Amino acid sequence: GPPAENGEMGGSKPPFSREDLPGDPVQREIQMLLRRFPSLSQETDAAGVRAISLSLKPTDPDFKYELSEGVSLLFKLPPNYPAECASLHVSSQDFSGAVCAAMDKAIAKEAKALEGRPAMRDLVRFVDNNFALLHECAVQVAAAQPKRTGATGDGAREEPPEANTNKGEEAERGDGGAAAAGPAEDEWTEEQQEALQRALKEVPANLGASERWVAIAELVPGKTKKQCVARFKALQASLKAQQTAPAPLQSAAVSAASAAAAAAAAASS
């Protein structure tokens, strides 16, 4: 039958939504986002593209990592948004550029499906509710890509040294960069060394390098991620020196340090 005059559901008329309210739907959407993200900022460039940025602290209970800060979300709204879908870019100092770019691609598919109506709030919910799965898939995609030096393109990001995937992998392999740790980082107890070796075995190697070292450091009492990376590099360098030294020197240099280096290398493989 026809829709009821008192506003109750009837016929095929869709339910009332905020998009039915008078006024600019995009501005209403921004105002609703501001209620949750008071620090939201926005600007419009000469071409009429509106950039809206906010910081999200993921609430997905399946995401187990403690981030050093919130995840930055950058919306770019074309002049004819929402007729044309928005793009959404993810960045975090805890993730490599390749991981962020892979997350962007997954989000772009969801944004395309929402084209034609205001979708920023829906995209924020999508990212927040599915953050663990998005991150896990992005790590796998990034790990399967050939390693590149330098970064180009819209999805590329420059990362702090500790969060850079390639540099973290160098630390795991023990090649590249300075191998010696600073004085404070040289002071490792036997308990801490054993904890590092156990952590290298227990923490999955298929994690992104930065995320893996964060997890490793959590299992080593009194040591930070930076100290664990430095210790690993120093031990690897010590082991390599033993392997390349002449035979008489090798036998004379067998020590606790070389034994620890061998154990750490075995644990990481």
Side-chain angles (χ1 to χ4, degrees):
E5 293 183 1
N6 62 1
E8 295 179 358
M9 290 295 296
S12 59
K13 183 179 179 179
F16 175 82
S17 70
R18 285 188 171 90
E19 282 71 25
D20 296 324
L21 292 171
D24 179 5
V26 178
Q27 196 57 42
R28 285 199 308 272
E29 187 178 29
I30 292 172
Q31 291 300 318
M32 285 186 278
L33 283 171
L34 276 168
R35 295 176 186 174
R36 180 178 175 186
F37 306 102
S39 61
L40 176 150
S41 63
Q42 58 179 311
E43 59 182 29
T44 304
D45 65 17
V49 175
R50 193 181 307 190
I52 297 173
S53 60
L54 56 91
S55 180
L56 171 71
K57 185 172 182 179
T59 61
D60 182 354
D62 293 328
F63 185 70
K64 304 300 184 183
Y65 297 101
E66 191 70 32
L67 300 178
S68 57
E69 60 180 26
V71 176
S72 296
L73 303 183
L74 174 63
F75 286 96
K76 289 190 176 180
L77 312 183
N80 60 340
Y81 173 83
E84 182 181 349
C85 67
S87 64
L88 176 55
H89 305 275
V90 175
S91 62
S92 169
Q93 70 174 24
D94 295 297
F95 302 157
S96 70
V99 168
C100 291
M103 293 180 77
D104 286 353
K105 289 182 179 179
I107 294 167
K109 294 181 180 180
E110 181 71 11
K112 186 66 177 176
L114 297 172
E115 189 172 55
R117 64 183 180 86
M120 285 189 290
R121 294 171 66 239
D122 288 333
L123 287 174
V124 170
R125 279 194 293 266
F126 171 75
V127 171
D128 195 13
N129 294 342
N130 301 282
F131 199 84
L133 181 60
L134 283 170
H135 176 256
E136 180 182 351
C137 292
V139 167
Q140 294 177 6
V141 169
Q145 292 175 351
K147 297 293 180 284
R148 296 179 298 174
T149 56
T152 57
D154 190 45
R157 292 166 178 78
E158 185 176 348
E159 309 271 342
E162 289 181 45
N164 183 283
T165 299
N166 291 340
K167 291 186 180 179
E169 287 167 354
E170 281 182 5
E172 292 195 18
R173 293 193 306 266
D175 57 7
E185 289 150 3
D186 281 338
E187 299 174 1
W188 280 68
T189 65
E190 183 178 349
E191 178 189 4
Q192 289 171 327
Q193 178 60 44
E194 291 175 354
L196 175 62
Q197 291 168 203
R198 284 196 303 270
L200 286 165
K201 292 180 181 179
E202 294 173 5
V203 178
N206 60 355
L207 291 176
S210 178
E211 294 93 327
R212 184 171 187 243
W213 281 107
V214 168
I216 288 171
E218 289 178 351
L219 299 176
V220 181
K223 294 297 180 181
T224 66
K225 179 179 78 171
K226 181 179 179 181
Q227 290 172 325
C228 290
V229 171
R231 178 65 171 175
F232 185 88
K233 292 174 72 175
L235 294 174
Q236 285 285 70
S238 175
L239 180 60
K240 289 175 70 176
Q242 299 289 340
Q243 293 170 340
T244 57
L249 293 179
Q250 286 185 21
S251 58
V254 174
S255 63
S258 63
S268 182
S269 61

